[in-house]
């Protein structure tokens, strides 16, 4: 059962740390882009049905970006209608949308709810105005809290809040204060990411020019440990390296990725994986619109080898705190995991980064050095 991802690549302004496929100043493309999305869904659905013996019923739709709530919510309604017309949607489908606080209003939320959206992911990033300024965010801490309350008032009962820690100049006390305020709002889910300096971003240039200090890795590690402990005390389950959920509120869509399941991406630069084929769309929104009009927007197709699939199962599955079921690996690939990755696993065990019983999973230390572990399986 594949998950569906829809990419809306528009933002009010580019945040300094962002290297996503997102653009500001393209408001004039919104309508044509949504038209292209609806066409792409109609174009791809029969091909996906014919080329796959998979069950094409869908139990999660994720509208990400960019800032999907920047565009007219009637456009989101049109996209969700197109999906419902071409795929079989389960009754309990999870329909998530990413939202930035400055785009959240009672009216907008009501239209989205009516359109079938039942999960919101709000990009707070911080509840400290100085940190928000460092990231180049367009909202204040108070606006973020007001946005959350407006979403609740509209009836959204499944809300994720996105946060970033390790922002230049941020102290542990400052991060602890953001976490405390956020948990008082009582969201169902939290995603807490350590700030990474991506090549080509404004933040990378600012750091290179000495305008902003480099985030301290030791402070980031302390913040990460504090996050895990503090959120556990507040009743959140730490189920993936960066994700925490109240009981029964894990993100179904993202679990599809970590479980190495199939997914179909629509929109500029969106990626898909069906069985052992991975494909991605043209990244530029204007080029994407043109290419859909001419009948195909796929930029790249990759056939995954068995080795690729084994590697993906490892580095995606290990992100989950429950790790990887060894029996599942053996059933899927016909070989025990240890026969393929014995040397790497033994070395990681020696270094206290993974444990091994009926599952292979990260230790508390391994969670802190996740990237080091994943790099051993790529
Ligand atoms: S709002 Fe999100 S997608 Fe847009 S620029 Fe900022 S971080 Fe990137």
């Amino acid at each position: 059962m594949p998950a569906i991802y829809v990419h809306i690549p528009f933002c009010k302004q580019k945040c300094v740390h962002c290297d996503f496929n997102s653009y500001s100043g393209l408001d004039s493309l919104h309508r044509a882009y949504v038209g292209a999305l609806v066409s792409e869904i109609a174009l791809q659905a029969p091909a996906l049905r014919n080329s796959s013996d998979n069950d094409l019923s869908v139990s999660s739709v994720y509208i990400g970006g960019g800032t999907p709530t920047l565009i007219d919510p009637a456009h989101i309604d049109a996209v969700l209608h197109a999906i419902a017309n071409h795929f079989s949607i389960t009754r309990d489908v999870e329909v998530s949308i990413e939202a930035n606080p400055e785009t959240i209003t009672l009216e907008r939320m009501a239209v989205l709810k009516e359109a079938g959206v039942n999960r919101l992911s709000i990009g707070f990033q911080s509840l400290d105005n100085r940190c928000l300024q460092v990231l180049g965010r367009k909202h204040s801490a108070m606006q973020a809290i007001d946005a959350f309350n407006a979403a609740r008032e509209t009836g959204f009962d499944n809300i994720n809040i996105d946060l970033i820690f390790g922002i230049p100049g941020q102290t542990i006390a400052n991060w602890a204060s953001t976490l405390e305020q956020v948990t008082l709002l009582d969201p169902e889910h939290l995603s807490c990411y350590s700030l990474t300096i991506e090549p080509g971003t404004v933040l990378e240039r600012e750091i290179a020019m000495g305008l902003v200090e480099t985030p301290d890795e030791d402070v980031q590690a302390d913040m990460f440990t504090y996050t895990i402990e503090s959120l556990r005390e507040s009743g959140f389950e730490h189920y993936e390296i960066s994700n925490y959920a109240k009981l029964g509120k894990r993100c179904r869509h993202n679990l599809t990725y970590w479980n190495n399941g199939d997914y179909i991406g629509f929109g500029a630069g969106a990626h898909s994986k069906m069985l052992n084929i991975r494909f991605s769309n043209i990244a530029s929104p204007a080029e994407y619109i043109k290419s859909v009009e001419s009948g195909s927007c796929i930029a790249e197709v990759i056939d995954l080898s068995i080795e690729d699939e084994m590697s993906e199962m490892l580095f995606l599955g290990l992100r989950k705190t429950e790790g990887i079921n060894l029996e599942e690996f053996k059933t899927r690939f016909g070989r025990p995991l240890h026969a393929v990755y014995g040397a790497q696993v033994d070395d990681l065990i020696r270094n206290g980064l993974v444990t091994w019983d009926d599952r292979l999973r990260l230790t508390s230390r391994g969670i802190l050095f996740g990237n080091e572990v994943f790099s051993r399986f790529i």
Side-chain angles (χ1 to χ4, degrees):
M1 192 183 288
I4 288 184
Y5 174 79
V6 178
H7 191 65
I8 307 289
F10 308 113
C11 288
K12 240 183 195 170
Q13 189 172 314
K14 194 85 179 165
C15 302
V16 299
H17 62 292
C18 179
D19 73 338
F20 296 154
N21 186 33
S22 65
Y23 308 82
S24 60
L26 294 185
D27 297 8
S28 59
L29 286 188
H30 290 189
R31 183 174 293 276
Y33 184 82
V34 171
L37 272 177
V38 170
S39 301
E40 190 200 353
I41 292 164
L43 200 72
Q44 299 273 38
L48 287 164
R49 259 196 303 274
N50 294 338
S51 68
S52 163
D53 53 3
N54 257 3
D55 170 12
L56 271 186
S57 61
V58 168
S59 67
S60 90
V61 176
Y62 193 100
I63 305 167
T67 309
T69 45
L70 187 65
I71 67 172
D72 185 337
H75 288 329
I76 302 292
D77 187 35
V79 171
L80 288 175
H81 260 97
I83 292 171
N85 285 341
H86 292 280
F87 293 88
S88 130
I89 306 291
T90 61
R91 281 161 65 92
D92 68 339
V93 64
E94 174 190 276
V95 183
S96 307
I97 192 166
E98 290 178 353
N100 275 342
E102 70 276 16
T103 61
I104 292 180
T105 60
L106 286 173
E107 298 71 32
R108 210 176 271 252
M109 291 299 102
V111 178
L112 291 175
K113 194 149 197 307
E114 190 58 35
V117 176
N118 53 27
R119 183 175 185 274
L120 271 188
S121 179
I122 310 179
F124 274 33
Q125 315 314 352
S126 173
L127 281 180
D128 176 84
N129 286 329
R130 193 203 63 85
C131 287
L132 290 171
Q133 222 173 358
V134 171
L135 296 177
R137 302 288 293 179
K138 288 289 104 198
H139 61 88
S140 66
M142 189 45 80
Q143 260 178 306
I145 292 170
D146 288 347
F148 182 91
N149 291 332
R152 277 283 194 246
E153 207 179 307
T154 325
F156 280 99
D157 58 4
N158 194 2
I159 303 182
N160 168 59
I161 292 178
D162 264 353
L163 294 169
I164 293 178
F165 59 87
I167 298 166
Q170 188 178 37
T171 61
I172 293 196
N174 174 291
W175 169 238
S177 159
T178 283
L179 272 186
E180 192 187 339
Q181 293 177 74
V182 162
T183 46
L184 283 175
L185 291 173
D186 201 21
E188 284 67 33
H189 193 283
L190 286 169
S191 299
C192 303
Y193 302 101
S194 167
L195 181 70
T196 49
I197 312 300
E198 301 296 344
T201 57
V202 173
L203 186 57
E204 186 202 39
R205 286 199 293 282
E206 287 177 347
I207 288 174
M209 289 161 70
L211 301 173
V212 173
E213 62 192 79
T214 314
D216 183 313
E217 282 182 17
D218 290 338
V219 174
Q220 279 187 326
D222 288 346
M223 287 177 175
F224 190 16
T225 307
Y226 177 84
T227 309
I228 295 168
E229 285 165 7
S230 143
L231 292 182
R232 192 175 292 139
E233 278 169 24
S234 301
F236 287 90
E237 174 204 16
H238 183 208
Y239 73 102
E240 192 268 350
I241 289 199
S242 307
N243 286 279
Y244 307 80
K246 288 278 173 66
L247 192 65
K249 297 295 182 181
R250 293 177 175 194
C251 176
R252 188 189 292 169
H253 186 84
N254 286 341
L255 276 167
T256 305
Y257 300 138
W258 303 320
N259 287 330
N260 205 13
D262 287 346
Y263 53 90
I264 305 164
F266 295 114
H271 290 252
S272 306
K273 182 181 99 63
M274 290 291 280
L275 301 174
N276 59 344
I277 298 176
R278 177 185 297 292
F279 47 100
S280 58
N281 285 349
I282 289 166
S284 146
E287 293 301 315
Y288 163 78
I289 294 168
K290 271 195 237 155
S291 66
V292 171
E293 280 163 10
S294 65
S296 172
C297 56
I298 295 175
E300 193 181 23
V301 179
I302 297 172
D303 281 319
L304 298 173
S305 64
I306 293 291
E307 288 71 28
D308 292 335
E309 290 188 62
M310 287 194 280
S311 157
E312 287 197 356
M313 184 170 179
L314 265 283
F315 70 78
L316 291 169
L318 278 172
R319 297 193 62 87
K320 297 175 295 172
T321 51
E322 67 188 27
I324 290 160
N325 183 322
L326 301 183
E327 210 40 55
E328 233 174 81
F329 184 97
K330 192 172 163 195
T331 308
R332 182 166 166 195
F333 299 110
R335 296 170 72 189
L337 192 146
H338 201 265
V340 186
Y341 293 111
Q344 292 94 317
V345 169
D346 290 346
D347 193 43
L348 290 167
I349 291 174
R350 264 194 305 278
N351 286 300
L353 295 168
V354 297
T355 59
W356 168 267
D357 41 45
D358 59 329
R359 305 185 77 94
L360 177 70
R361 68 186 106 209
L362 297 176
T363 59
S364 316
R365 191 174 131 76
I367 286 175
L368 288 180
F369 297 100
N371 288 340
E372 196 178 314
V373 176
F374 307 145
S375 68
R376 307 298 296 274
F377 300 108
I378 294 173

